[in-house]
Amino acid sequence: MRLYGFLFFGIASNMVGATAFSPSGQAEKTSGTSLSSYLDSMNPNGIAAPKPASYGISGKSYTNVPSSPFDGQASANGAAAAFFPFAKADYFDTSYLVSKGPRATFDWGAPADATRKLGDDGLLRAGAWYCTNGGWESPNPKAATEVFWVLSGHGKLTDADGVEHHFGPGDNVIIPKGHTGRWDVYEPIHKVWAVNAHANIEETGSPIRVQVDHYHSWNEELLSALTVDNGVVVDDPLYGPFLQSSNGAAPSAKVFYNVGPTQVGVWSSAAGSSYRVQQGERAWIYCLEGVMFVTDGRTGEARRCEAGDTIVVPQGWYGYVDVVEGTKQLFTVAK
C-alpha cells in the first residue's frame, strides 16, 4: 500500500484562459551591448538580504521560508535520494526569491530581477524568475533551451530579424538554444522555468525563433488519446510505456515542441486513473489542473500535486501516478 503525504496549496487563479498582451506606445531603444543570460550566476539556496521596494519585490525579511528541495539529487556514493525535487506554489512566491539587483545593461526602464532554483542535475535545471519593467538587447546566442510558464506580467521577446512574440499569464514560452534578439518587460514578469542544457544548437531555421503557446490551445478536445496495445500505453511522451489503468482509461497528450533532445507538451488524465511508471523520462512537470499523487518506487514516498506545483523527475524513474481529480500537466522532457 502506498502512503500519501498531503500538501495543500493553490495558484493559477490568474493564469487560465488569458491571452497574450500586445502593448502600444511603449518607448523602445536599441543597444548592441553584450549581456549574459539572465539565468546565470543564480544563488540556488537561502534568502538574500531584504530587497529594496524598487525591485518590485517585498522588502520584508522572512523566517519561515519554504525549504530548498534539493534532496532529489543522488548522493556521491550512488545511494537513492529521498525524493525528486518538488515545490509547493509558495516556494516560488516573489517574497522568497533571491534578488540579483538592477540589471547591469538595459536601454529603457529600470529592470531588476530575482530568482530561486528548484533543482539541477547537470542537464535539466528548474526554478522561478521575476523581473521589473525594462528592456535590453540579448545579442549573445542563448546557451541552453529554456521553457517557461508565465504566472503574471506581460512582456515581449524579439528575434534577431525583428519578429516579435508577446506573452502574458497562461502562456508557455520556448527560447531555443542559440537564440539572439531582445527582451522587453512591460509589466513585471513572474515565471517558472525549465532549462535543458543540451550540447548542440538543434534548430535549423535562421534566425532561431521563440515559440509562444497559449493555454486555450490545450483544451481537452485538442489533445490526442494515447495508443493502447494489449493493455499497454505505448506512446506516452512523459511517463514512457506503462500498463493501462484498471479503470480502462488512457491518458491524452499533445507535444507542441519536439526538437532534438527537448520535448515540450501537455499531458492529461481522467480522475480515478492509476498508472505504474516503469521507465519515466527526465522531465520538469508543472501541474496546471487537478490533483494527482506521484510515488517514488525507490522509497515509497509520495507527493500530492495540485495546480501550481512543480516536480522534477530523473531519467528512468519508476513508481506510480494516481489521479485523484482530472489533471493536466505541462512538461518539458530533456534527453
Side-chain angles (χ1 to χ4, degrees):
M1 179 178 180
R2 301 191 294 280
L3 299 178
Y4 299 108
F6 292 83
L7 300 174
F8 173 78
F9 45 91
I11 197 172
S13 61
N14 66 340
M15 299 189 301
V16 178
T19 57
F21 171 79
S22 180
S24 61
Q26 178 65 58
E28 300 178 19
K29 300 179 182 179
T30 302
S31 169
T33 306
S34 175
L35 182 69
S36 60
S37 168
Y38 60 90
L39 294 177
D40 290 344
S41 304
M42 293 188 304
N43 177 2
N45 293 305
I47 299 300
K51 310 168 186 67
S54 61
Y55 288 7
I57 301 176
S58 172
K60 300 178 181 179
S61 59
Y62 292 84
T63 54
N64 298 320
V65 176
S67 59
S68 178
F70 270 83
D71 57 0
Q73 312 304 323
S75 64
N77 62 7
F83 195 74
F84 318 135
F86 172 82
K88 300 187 297 182
D90 62 355
Y91 179 82
F92 291 133
D93 187 278
T94 55
S95 301
Y96 302 138
L97 303 186
V98 179
S99 174
K100 296 171 64 178
R103 300 190 63 85
T105 307
F106 56 91
D107 49 41
W108 72 269
D113 51 7
T115 190
R116 193 177 192 192
K117 189 184 286 188
L118 171 62
D120 185 347
D121 70 357
L123 180 67
L124 180 62
R125 294 184 288 160
W129 182 75
Y130 178 94
C131 187
T132 57
N133 296 17
W136 59 90
E137 293 287 330
S138 186
N140 298 329
K142 191 167 181 64
T145 294
E146 181 189 357
V147 180
F148 66 84
W149 169 258
V150 183
L151 299 173
S152 62
H154 297 95
K156 178 183 72 177
L157 280 156
T158 304
D159 299 331
D161 63 352
V163 172
E164 299 175 343
H165 307 271
H166 295 274
F167 56 85
D171 287 341
N172 185 77
V173 182
I174 303 168
I175 314 176
K177 181 182 177 77
H179 180 268
T180 61
R182 69 170 286 121
W183 265 88
D184 290 284
V185 177
Y186 299 108
E187 180 183 329
I189 295 290
H190 185 202
K191 68 181 189 179
V192 289
W193 54 262
V195 166
N196 183 1
H198 54 89
N200 302 314
I201 294 175
E202 301 289 344
E203 293 280 353
T204 59
S206 181
I208 294 174
R209 299 206 181 280
V210 165
Q211 177 174 319
V212 178
D213 295 276
H214 309 297
Y215 193 92
H216 60 72
S217 66
W218 308 327
N219 290 340
E220 197 63 36
E221 63 271 18
L222 301 177
L223 306 183
S224 299
L226 299 179
T227 303
V228 179
D229 185 6
N230 293 321
V232 177
V233 179
V234 296
D235 58 347
D236 192 290
L238 176 57
Y239 297 116
F242 52 74
L243 294 176
Q244 187 178 15
S245 176
S246 59
N247 66 357
S252 56
K254 179 180 182 179
V255 175
F256 48 84
Y257 183 84
N258 187 7
V259 179
T262 307
Q263 280 189 323
V264 184
V266 168
W267 185 94
S268 176
S269 182
S273 302
S274 180
Y275 308 104
R276 181 179 179 181
V277 179
Q278 296 176 307
Q279 191 74 16
E281 298 286 359
R282 175 195 285 111
W284 168 84
I285 301 169
Y286 182 78
C287 189
L288 297 168
E289 300 175 12
V291 179
M292 68 174 184
F293 284 94
V294 177
T295 303
D296 184 351
R298 302 167 302 170
T299 65
E301 186 176 4
R303 289 288 188 271
R304 179 184 173 96
C305 300
E306 300 182 346
D309 303 354
T310 304
I311 188 168
V312 182
V313 291
Q315 179 67 39
W317 78 279
Y318 60 95
Y320 297 88
V321 174
D322 296 287
V323 181
V324 179
E325 298 177 4
T327 188
K328 186 176 289 182
Q329 304 161 31
L330 176 67
F331 68 84
T332 296
V333 168
K335 299 181 178 180

